[in-house]
Amino acid sequence: MALIVQKYGGTSVGSIERIEAVAEKIIGFREKGDDVVVVVSAMSGETNRLTALALNVMEQPTPREMDVLLATGEQVTIALLCMALIKRGCGARSFTGGQVRILTDESHTKARIREIDSNLILTQLEKGDVVVVAGFQGVDEYGNITTLGRGGSDTTAVALAVALSAAECQIYTDVKGVYTTDPRVVQDARLLKSITFEEMLELASLGAKVLQIRSVEFAGKYKVPLRVLSTFEEGEGTLISLEEEIDMEDPAIAGIAFERDEAKLTVAGVPDVPGIAYTVIGPVSDAGIEVDVIVQNAGVEGTNDITFTVKRAESDEAKKILDKIAKSIDAREVVLDKKVCKVSLVGVGMRSHAGIASRMFKALADENINIQIITTSEIKISVVIDEKYLELAVRALHSAFELGDPDYGKNPNQA
Ligand code: ASP
Ligand code: MG
């Protein structure tokens, strides 16, 4: 008998039929003797619908009112799910974020959780009820409704699991778990049994958008095992946990992440003097543009070339800023290349396995893919390449590191 926190995302509660099915599922867990605290998202599309309504009224809706509006989405699902449970004879009680007292700071639309009062939930569980909590919302110290940012229900679930010392936090969604890479790019991508928090953070930030990144950070910090699994299909999903708890016989590489819409900026011929990297890059990040991979090379005669990547959507603005700076420091030129992407190999096993980088470069060389920039961290190697080779590169690496599902194609029911 354990206490588990389960979160059901928007598609899992996207219709009355699905809410009924989730109720059945929860009852199954209750019958096994587990205590269940459920967090739900708004029905799929609802948060977008509400946002569109707001934008019809006001171009830039005031954040406080936006939170009052958006929090209604989750309030609908907690009530409907409890009704579906009660109808089946299962005691259940719904709570908004404010009622549980998920206390947050005052930053509307992107609030951070400060504290959770677990008493109300624990009392309710003792009575034998299933507790259903609205995800994504909290309340500030003055009683104002706040929300945690898009995808924030994941964070609510993890925070509750921490506050209640739950055995596990299970995130039910519309995919079977975390894959070695995007199955739309590599057909035989393999479902990972387990992955470390660190690896998941790298994969999440690089585009494997299964979980809100903040929820993974949170779970890692407080060491709550997180499991991602499908609402619609049977299976154990993917356990996200501490390195110690994972079978390290696993291959060195957990997965391959990629980022499509990148752009590369090079400021060529900048004077080779102290402070120049700051002079060039400072104003770009001050403008709120996220600067990613950065390299500086020796250029001609006492000058350097500074190259970095930004999101493609922000690249024109970055170029404008750099053009000005280039003039003021007498740099030769600023070159913008909007046709690049980033591919990253991620795995904690890199720490103990030698030769990962050279194997990666060989796999790309064999496909004649030119690497423009390389960066490495302890558990990640990223390359920036021409965007037209993205799929090819991901597939080549996936097979070079033998990440494919050996059973792919054997099961006739497999998509
Ligand atoms: N309903 C919110 C959203 O769509 C929160 C969530 O689903 O996690 O972003
Ligand atoms: Mg979500």
Side-chain angles (χ1 to χ4, degrees):
M1 165 133 179
L3 168 59
I4 43 181
V5 174
Q6 302 188 326
K7 180 252 171 176
Y8 293 90
T11 45
S12 306
V13 293
S15 65
I16 296 300
E17 294 73 44
R18 286 186 171 179
I19 291 174
E20 306 257 15
V22 166
E24 297 278 351
K25 227 178 152 83
I26 293 167
I27 289 170
F29 284 97
R30 285 292 298 147
E31 282 169 356
K32 275 190 252 163
D34 289 332
D35 276 334
V36 189
V37 173
V38 178
V39 174
V40 282
S41 287
M43 294 169 82
S44 56
E46 181 63 8
T47 309
N48 290 341
R49 188 186 72 87
L50 293 169
T51 305
L53 285 179
L55 293 173
N56 277 333
V57 179
M58 206 175 176
E59 215 170 288
Q60 282 177 320
T62 45
R64 184 185 179 281
E65 304 318 318
M66 200 61 185
D67 279 351
V68 173
L69 178 68
L70 294 188
T72 62
E74 273 71 10
Q75 192 169 333
V76 171
T77 37
I78 54 170
L80 293 175
L81 178 57
C82 281
M83 290 176 194
L85 287 163
I86 294 164
K87 179 173 85 177
R88 287 170 171 78
C90 174
R93 215 171 162 97
S94 65
F95 296 98
T96 63
Q99 285 175 313
V100 173
R101 207 126 201 290
I102 296 179
L103 183 69
T104 72
D105 61 17
E106 293 152 46
S107 359
H108 285 291
T109 76
K110 47 177 188 303
R112 298 213 158 229
I113 297 175
R114 281 202 182 138
E115 210 179 277
I116 294 183
D117 183 355
S118 53
N119 285 318
L120 184 64
I121 296 182
L122 291 172
T123 312
Q124 212 61 45
L125 288 174
E126 267 163 34
K127 289 186 186 155
D129 284 347
V130 170
V131 173
V132 181
V133 181
F136 173 61
Q137 53 179 263
V139 69
D140 72 10
E141 61 177 311
Y142 306 104
N144 297 299
I145 296 173
T146 54
T147 66
L148 309 177
R150 296 305 303 266
S153 297
D154 293 343
T155 299
T156 304
V158 171
L160 281 173
V162 172
L164 298 164
S165 307
E168 196 168 285
C169 180
Q170 303 174 338
I171 308 283
Y172 283 91
T173 178
D174 49 3
V175 294
K176 285 164 92 176
V178 182
Y179 285 81
T180 47
T181 194
D182 188 338
R184 284 169 300 190
V185 173
V186 180
Q187 284 198 328
D188 68 339
R190 182 169 46 86
L191 180 67
L192 292 161
K193 273 206 175 69
S194 56
I195 184 172
T196 67
F197 289 113
E198 267 179 295
E199 288 169 331
M200 188 62 219
L201 285 174
E202 293 292 357
L203 292 175
S205 60
L206 293 169
K209 295 173 183 75
V210 203
L211 280 168
Q212 199 198 32
I213 295 174
R214 250 172 73 200
S215 72
V216 182
E217 282 167 358
F218 213 138
K221 185 165 162 203
Y222 293 99
K223 305 186 172 40
V224 177
L226 246 188
R227 190 182 291 276
V228 181
L229 60 185
S230 164
T231 310
F232 310 109
E233 287 174 86
E234 289 299 310
E236 299 287 291
T238 304
L239 176 68
I240 308 163
S241 182
L242 295 172
E243 207 166 327
E244 304 84 85
E245 269 145 43
I246 287 179
D247 176 11
M248 289 322 280
E249 291 303 305
D250 281 353
I253 301 304
I256 301 168
F258 53 84
E259 203 87 69
R260 285 181 197 277
D261 300 311
E262 299 279 295
K264 185 179 76 172
L265 284 147
T266 301
V267 189
V270 301
D272 187 12
V273 295
I276 201 73
Y278 174 67
T279 308
V280 170
I281 290 177
V284 178
S285 38
D286 288 347
I289 298 172
E290 196 190 323
V291 175
D292 190 20
V293 177
I294 307 173
V295 287
Q296 179 180 301
N297 295 329
V300 282
E301 282 169 27
T303 69
N304 285 324
D305 294 348
I306 295 178
T307 301
F308 58 90
T309 60
V310 295
K311 291 264 157 284
R312 199 170 296 166
E314 296 178 331
S315 61
D316 286 324
E317 195 192 340
K319 169 95 165 44
K320 254 190 226 150
I321 296 170
L322 290 172
D323 280 335
K324 265 195 218 136
I325 299 166
K327 246 196 203 131
S328 72
I329 58 173
D330 213 15
R332 198 169 67 247
E333 59 175 341
V334 181
V335 184
L336 169 59
D337 179 352
K338 289 191 182 184
K339 295 201 162 123
V340 297
C341 65
K342 186 171 76 173
V343 176
S344 308
L345 216 52
V346 176
V348 292
M350 278 183 201
R351 294 196 191 111
S352 49
H353 289 69
I356 302 281
S358 67
R359 211 161 134 197
M360 178 182 193
F361 304 151
K362 176 167 191 312
L364 297 173
D366 287 346
E367 297 294 345
N368 250 316
I369 298 170
N370 184 41
I371 302 172
Q372 303 179 13
I373 308 178
I374 301 167
T375 54
T376 64
S377 80
E378 257 204 309
I379 67 159
K380 179 177 82 174
I381 308 171
S382 303
V383 293
V384 174
I385 59 175
D386 189 319
E387 67 169 1
K388 69 176 180 246
Y389 298 126
L390 182 122
E391 271 83 6
L392 180 62
V394 174
R395 282 186 205 124
L397 294 172
H398 201 264
S399 74
F401 286 92
E402 296 169 7
L403 297 178
D405 183 350
D407 293 328
Y408 178 76
K410 283 185 193 158
N411 176 355
N413 296 325
Q414 203 157 25

